[in-house]
Amino acid sequence: MATGRTHRPATRSRGIPEATVARLPLYLRALTALSERSVPTVSSEELASAAGVNSAKLRKDFSYLGSYGTRGVGYDVEYLVYQISRELGLTQDWPVVIVGIGNLGAALAGYGGFASRGFRVAALIDADPAMTGKPVAGIPVQHSDDLEKIVTEDGVSIGVIATPAGVAQQVCDRLVAAGVTSILNFAPTVLSVPDGVDVRKVDLSIELQILAFHEQRKAGEEPGADSGPEAAAPAEPAGAAVAPPAARTAQDSGRTAQDSGRKGPDGDMPAVMPA
Amino acid sequence: MATGRTHRPATRSRGIPEATVARLPLYLRALTALSERSVPTVSSEELASAAGVNSAKLRKDFSYLGSYGTRGVGYDVEYLVYQISRELGLTQDWPVVIVGIGNLGAALAGYGGFASRGFRVAALIDADPAMTGKPVAGIPVQHSDDLEKIVTEDGVSIGVIATPAGVAQQVCDRLVAAGVTSILNFAPTVLSVPDGVDVRKVDLSIELQILAFHEQRKAGEEPGADSGPEAAAPAEPAGAAVAPPAARTAQDSGRTAQDSGRKGPDGDMPAVMPA
DNA sequence: GGCTGTGAAGGGCTTCACAGCC
DNA sequence: GGCTGTGAAGCCCTTCACAGCC
């Protein structure tokens, strides 16, 4: 079915930039850790370091939420935890259904991060009759025939798709038809959903390919080789032999997270080269 | 972040924007599907639709690689598959080690997307002696004592961390010391790495939290709240003196498109880790 | 006529740097 | 003195729109 088209101008959510929203969970995690150690306050510098971002960005992010800090002092940990949780909508419990209980689905079902962060596994669903009733991570698997009933009765609005790519779109369509409006897709497929439905995807092979791209580049511009890795000169196979250049940095990394930065030193390579 | 590193103007490694690199795997997947159906050529419009992006963006992306299309006709599928594969460094085989063979690690080990896309699982490593020798997805698990040896001997430059958060940093340190320069991290932790090492992370709870944020907004702005368990009514700050400055208006149909803007993560198997 | 390739315009996010308050 | 909050500048990416070629 593949309903309507997917892309829209991707507007900002409230006044909060999407990029900021994506970092709030990071701050929340760091704050939770501080909270557990009973640390009362943190400076933007400390928190930023713990979350793996720079302090200016963190302060800017928080400024979208309001003025929750105290100049000359920092931020109250507990208060911030509360504010961010509220902003993310974690003060309520979101029931989630996981469809496709294979290796991955089972891994997700057993993920401890659910309960602790505002989510609850409402049901595990699989199309294989042999799986029905079998408990996975303590939760009995239900047959996909009951998908609509489950979603409707439990008021589920978030669904996780961990099925093979081939059936992902149909599963998606059924979830949406039943009332789900947010989907986390682990299947390597582009899902089509009606307007108003959010889809986020996680794809291992894409991540690896992005790493391979950078890896290839490193191999090509190692010290000594200043010629670009153009069409010719295929790089070496297993590119080990590369020794860590700089020493471990103090407390934080230069970059991290899903945002990848670019780093290659390299001068200015003209852009591209036709074959 | 005050990493010892000075921020250099974000060098353009070559001419390809990071955002474009993150989309190349998407195009490649769509092209591979077309190739299997023996489709000889595609227009930017068709391919863009299959990849879930808009055609202008796709053409711009390809323009960074070179002029591989034919005006009035479109792109030659096979040729593009080759060019993109080469650009991503997939014409060579990258050995990958997966550390932490729990539910997730096992799921990753069994992921078929590896072999088919330029990657090869060189080894599965786990710290539990009971796991040693046990085959997972047909590959015998090796003990972490041998991590350095494995990485060195197989010339592994890409490592996947699927361990509990608590040991992720040490595993990371060992991988890097042994020669790994690209890491895909599934543990919910910010990893510190020396300059020159790439880290990408995949985190289930973060993705869910972002969805929850948007979900909450939908519930709040739609007349007949249907999905959520309780139509999330924005709670008031706990006796805060300061209230969010920005007005609560602006309710565009925000929502992110599937391709998400940040930096492009998404893959086939994702993440997660017990906390 | 059809479709690619691309300069130019437009937005959003990051970084700077400093004013403002403790 | 220390640290937050934020306008302003800069950068990168996306989108537009059309020139260029088949």
Side-chain angles (χ1 to χ4, degrees), chain B residues 29-42 46-47 50 77-78:
Chain B
R29 176 186 296 160
L31 285 166
T32 300
L34 290 172
S35 173
E36 284 167 1
R37 288 197 287 132
S38 300
V39 175
T41 62
V42 265
E46 297 168 322
L47 184 54
V77 175
E78 295 302 331

PDB file of all heavy atoms in Angstrom, chain B residues 29-42 46-47 50 77-78:
ATOM      1  N   ARG B  29      21.586   0.835  -2.054  1.00  0.00           N
ATOM      2  CA  ARG B  29      20.609  -0.220  -1.806  1.00  0.00           C
ATOM      3  C   ARG B  29      19.520  -0.217  -2.867  1.00  0.00           C
ATOM      4  O   ARG B  29      19.136  -1.247  -3.400  1.00  0.00           O
ATOM      5  CB  ARG B  29      19.977  -0.030  -0.434  1.00  0.00           C
ATOM      6  CG  ARG B  29      18.895  -1.036  -0.145  1.00  0.00           C
ATOM      7  CD  ARG B  29      18.196  -0.740   1.155  1.00  0.00           C
ATOM      8  NE  ARG B  29      19.082  -0.851   2.287  1.00  0.00           N
ATOM      9  CZ  ARG B  29      18.862  -0.293   3.466  1.00  0.00           C
ATOM     10  NH1 ARG B  29      17.790   0.446   3.655  1.00  0.00           N
ATOM     11  NH2 ARG B  29      19.709  -0.456   4.457  1.00  0.00           N
ATOM     12  N   ALA B  30      19.022   0.975  -3.163  1.00  0.00           N
ATOM     13  CA  ALA B  30      17.970   1.086  -4.173  1.00  0.00           C
ATOM     14  C   ALA B  30      18.486   0.639  -5.535  1.00  0.00           C
ATOM     15  O   ALA B  30      17.795  -0.064  -6.279  1.00  0.00           O
ATOM     16  CB  ALA B  30      17.481   2.535  -4.244  1.00  0.00           C
ATOM     17  N   LEU B  31      19.711   1.023  -5.843  1.00  0.00           N
ATOM     18  CA  LEU B  31      20.294   0.644  -7.126  1.00  0.00           C
ATOM     19  C   LEU B  31      20.503  -0.860  -7.225  1.00  0.00           C
ATOM     20  O   LEU B  31      20.294  -1.467  -8.275  1.00  0.00           O
ATOM     21  CB  LEU B  31      21.634   1.365  -7.320  1.00  0.00           C
ATOM     22  CG  LEU B  31      21.533   2.848  -7.681  1.00  0.00           C
ATOM     23  CD1 LEU B  31      22.876   3.530  -7.504  1.00  0.00           C
ATOM     24  CD2 LEU B  31      21.039   3.000  -9.116  1.00  0.00           C
ATOM     25  N   THR B  32      20.908  -1.447  -6.121  1.00  0.00           N
ATOM     26  CA  THR B  32      21.139  -2.888  -6.116  1.00  0.00           C
ATOM     27  C   THR B  32      19.830  -3.619  -6.413  1.00  0.00           C
ATOM     28  O   THR B  32      19.804  -4.588  -7.156  1.00  0.00           O
ATOM     29  CB  THR B  32      21.670  -3.336  -4.739  1.00  0.00           C
ATOM     30  OG1 THR B  32      22.895  -2.639  -4.483  1.00  0.00           O
ATOM     31  CG2 THR B  32      21.926  -4.828  -4.721  1.00  0.00           C
ATOM     32  N   ALA B  33      18.764  -3.118  -5.834  1.00  0.00           N
ATOM     33  CA  ALA B  33      17.468  -3.737  -6.088  1.00  0.00           C
ATOM     34  C   ALA B  33      17.105  -3.620  -7.565  1.00  0.00           C
ATOM     35  O   ALA B  33      16.610  -4.570  -8.176  1.00  0.00           O
ATOM     36  CB  ALA B  33      16.396  -3.061  -5.231  1.00  0.00           C
ATOM     37  N   LEU B  34      17.373  -2.473  -8.141  1.00  0.00           N
ATOM     38  CA  LEU B  34      17.058  -2.273  -9.558  1.00  0.00           C
ATOM     39  C   LEU B  34      17.926  -3.196 -10.405  1.00  0.00           C
ATOM     40  O   LEU B  34      17.465  -3.793 -11.379  1.00  0.00           O
ATOM     41  CB  LEU B  34      17.331  -0.819  -9.966  1.00  0.00           C
ATOM     42  CG  LEU B  34      16.386   0.231  -9.386  1.00  0.00           C
ATOM     43  CD1 LEU B  34      16.880   1.626  -9.714  1.00  0.00           C
ATOM     44  CD2 LEU B  34      14.989   0.028  -9.941  1.00  0.00           C
ATOM     45  N   SER B  35      19.167  -3.287 -10.000  1.00  0.00           N
ATOM     46  CA  SER B  35      20.104  -4.127 -10.726  1.00  0.00           C
ATOM     47  C   SER B  35      19.622  -5.573 -10.748  1.00  0.00           C
ATOM     48  O   SER B  35      19.685  -6.252 -11.770  1.00  0.00           O
ATOM     49  CB  SER B  35      21.475  -4.043 -10.060  1.00  0.00           C
ATOM     50  OG  SER B  35      22.366  -4.959 -10.631  1.00  0.00           O
ATOM     51  N   GLU B  36      19.116  -6.027  -9.612  1.00  0.00           N
ATOM     52  CA  GLU B  36      18.635  -7.405  -9.551  1.00  0.00           C
ATOM     53  C   GLU B  36      17.412  -7.629 -10.426  1.00  0.00           C
ATOM     54  O   GLU B  36      17.106  -8.744 -10.808  1.00  0.00           O
ATOM     55  CB  GLU B  36      18.321  -7.774  -8.093  1.00  0.00           C
ATOM     56  CG  GLU B  36      19.594  -8.039  -7.301  1.00  0.00           C
ATOM     57  CD  GLU B  36      19.353  -8.100  -5.797  1.00  0.00           C
ATOM     58  OE1 GLU B  36      18.190  -7.960  -5.369  1.00  0.00           O
ATOM     59  OE2 GLU B  36      20.348  -8.282  -5.063  1.00  0.00           O
ATOM     60  N   ARG B  37      16.737  -6.546 -10.718  1.00  0.00           N
ATOM     61  CA  ARG B  37      15.569  -6.671 -11.583  1.00  0.00           C
ATOM     62  C   ARG B  37      15.989  -6.371 -13.021  1.00  0.00           C
ATOM     63  O   ARG B  37      15.168  -6.188 -13.900  1.00  0.00           O
ATOM     64  CB  ARG B  37      14.472  -5.710 -11.145  1.00  0.00           C
ATOM     65  CG  ARG B  37      13.798  -6.132  -9.852  1.00  0.00           C
ATOM     66  CD  ARG B  37      12.477  -5.404  -9.663  1.00  0.00           C
ATOM     67  NE  ARG B  37      12.652  -4.011  -9.311  1.00  0.00           N
ATOM     68  CZ  ARG B  37      12.005  -3.008  -9.908  1.00  0.00           C
ATOM     69  NH1 ARG B  37      11.175  -3.247 -10.900  1.00  0.00           N
ATOM     70  NH2 ARG B  37      12.204  -1.774  -9.523  1.00  0.00           N
ATOM     71  N   SER B  38      17.278  -6.282 -13.205  1.00  0.00           N
ATOM     72  CA  SER B  38      17.827  -6.008 -14.531  1.00  0.00           C
ATOM     73  C   SER B  38      17.357  -4.714 -15.172  1.00  0.00           C
ATOM     74  O   SER B  38      17.259  -4.617 -16.394  1.00  0.00           O
ATOM     75  CB  SER B  38      17.516  -7.171 -15.479  1.00  0.00           C
ATOM     76  OG  SER B  38      18.091  -8.358 -14.986  1.00  0.00           O
ATOM     77  N   VAL B  39      17.055  -3.752 -14.345  1.00  0.00           N
ATOM     78  CA  VAL B  39      16.658  -2.456 -14.896  1.00  0.00           C
ATOM     79  C   VAL B  39      17.947  -1.783 -15.368  1.00  0.00           C
ATOM     80  O   VAL B  39      18.892  -1.674 -14.585  1.00  0.00           O
ATOM     81  CB  VAL B  39      15.986  -1.585 -13.803  1.00  0.00           C
ATOM     82  CG1 VAL B  39      15.683  -0.205 -14.348  1.00  0.00           C
ATOM     83  CG2 VAL B  39      14.728  -2.268 -13.293  1.00  0.00           C
ATOM     84  N   PRO B  40      18.018  -1.365 -16.592  1.00  0.00           N
ATOM     85  CA  PRO B  40      19.244  -0.757 -17.121  1.00  0.00           C
ATOM     86  C   PRO B  40      19.517   0.682 -16.697  1.00  0.00           C
ATOM     87  O   PRO B  40      20.631   1.040 -16.353  1.00  0.00           O
ATOM     88  CB  PRO B  40      19.063  -0.877 -18.627  1.00  0.00           C
ATOM     89  CG  PRO B  40      17.569  -0.756 -18.799  1.00  0.00           C
ATOM     90  CD  PRO B  40      17.001  -1.518 -17.631  1.00  0.00           C
ATOM     91  N   THR B  41      18.500   1.509 -16.693  1.00  0.00           N
ATOM     92  CA  THR B  41      18.701   2.913 -16.312  1.00  0.00           C
ATOM     93  C   THR B  41      17.580   3.448 -15.434  1.00  0.00           C
ATOM     94  O   THR B  41      16.472   2.906 -15.436  1.00  0.00           O
ATOM     95  CB  THR B  41      18.773   3.827 -17.558  1.00  0.00           C
ATOM     96  OG1 THR B  41      17.525   3.735 -18.254  1.00  0.00           O
ATOM     97  CG2 THR B  41      19.907   3.435 -18.469  1.00  0.00           C
ATOM     98  N   VAL B  42      17.876   4.498 -14.720  1.00  0.00           N
ATOM     99  CA  VAL B  42      16.864   5.135 -13.869  1.00  0.00           C
ATOM    100  C   VAL B  42      17.017   6.630 -13.951  1.00  0.00           C
ATOM    101  O   VAL B  42      18.118   7.139 -14.129  1.00  0.00           O
ATOM    102  CB  VAL B  42      17.037   4.847 -12.366  1.00  0.00           C
ATOM    103  CG1 VAL B  42      16.210   3.701 -11.934  1.00  0.00           C
ATOM    104  CG2 VAL B  42      18.483   4.741 -12.003  1.00  0.00           C
ATOM    105  N   GLU B  46      13.002   8.679 -10.273  1.00  0.00           N
ATOM    106  CA  GLU B  46      12.667   7.314  -9.868  1.00  0.00           C
ATOM    107  C   GLU B  46      13.576   6.816  -8.734  1.00  0.00           C
ATOM    108  O   GLU B  46      13.107   6.264  -7.740  1.00  0.00           O
ATOM    109  CB  GLU B  46      12.826   6.357 -11.060  1.00  0.00           C
ATOM    110  CG  GLU B  46      11.897   6.655 -12.223  1.00  0.00           C
ATOM    111  CD  GLU B  46      12.302   5.878 -13.482  1.00  0.00           C
ATOM    112  OE1 GLU B  46      13.524   5.726 -13.747  1.00  0.00           O
ATOM    113  OE2 GLU B  46      11.399   5.436 -14.212  1.00  0.00           O
ATOM    114  N   LEU B  47      14.849   7.033  -8.931  1.00  0.00           N
ATOM    115  CA  LEU B  47      15.791   6.560  -7.917  1.00  0.00           C
ATOM    116  C   LEU B  47      15.591   7.281  -6.591  1.00  0.00           C
ATOM    117  O   LEU B  47      15.642   6.675  -5.518  1.00  0.00           O
ATOM    118  CB  LEU B  47      17.228   6.758  -8.410  1.00  0.00           C
ATOM    119  CG  LEU B  47      18.333   6.233  -7.495  1.00  0.00           C
ATOM    120  CD1 LEU B  47      18.106   4.764  -7.158  1.00  0.00           C
ATOM    121  CD2 LEU B  47      19.693   6.417  -8.174  1.00  0.00           C
ATOM    122  N   ALA B  50      12.728   5.829  -4.791  1.00  0.00           N
ATOM    123  CA  ALA B  50      13.050   4.522  -4.210  1.00  0.00           C
ATOM    124  C   ALA B  50      13.937   4.646  -2.977  1.00  0.00           C
ATOM    125  O   ALA B  50      13.890   3.822  -2.067  1.00  0.00           O
ATOM    126  CB  ALA B  50      13.740   3.658  -5.256  1.00  0.00           C
ATOM    127  N   VAL B  77      22.330   2.047 -14.255  1.00  0.00           N
ATOM    128  CA  VAL B  77      22.307   1.377 -12.959  1.00  0.00           C
ATOM    129  C   VAL B  77      23.611   0.677 -12.564  1.00  0.00           C
ATOM    130  O   VAL B  77      24.179   0.955 -11.513  1.00  0.00           O
ATOM    131  CB  VAL B  77      21.139   0.363 -12.893  1.00  0.00           C
ATOM    132  CG1 VAL B  77      21.195  -0.426 -11.591  1.00  0.00           C
ATOM    133  CG2 VAL B  77      19.812   1.102 -13.004  1.00  0.00           C
ATOM    134  N   GLU B  78      24.082  -0.193 -13.436  1.00  0.00           N
ATOM    135  CA  GLU B  78      25.300  -0.938 -13.115  1.00  0.00           C
ATOM    136  C   GLU B  78      26.491  -0.019 -12.871  1.00  0.00           C
ATOM    137  O   GLU B  78      27.271  -0.217 -11.945  1.00  0.00           O
ATOM    138  CB  GLU B  78      25.654  -1.903 -14.257  1.00  0.00           C
ATOM    139  CG  GLU B  78      24.631  -3.006 -14.478  1.00  0.00           C
ATOM    140  CD  GLU B  78      24.422  -3.845 -13.227  1.00  0.00           C
ATOM    141  OE1 GLU B  78      25.365  -3.978 -12.421  1.00  0.00           O
ATOM    142  OE2 GLU B  78      23.290  -4.340 -13.031  1.00  0.00           O
TER     143      GLU B  78
END
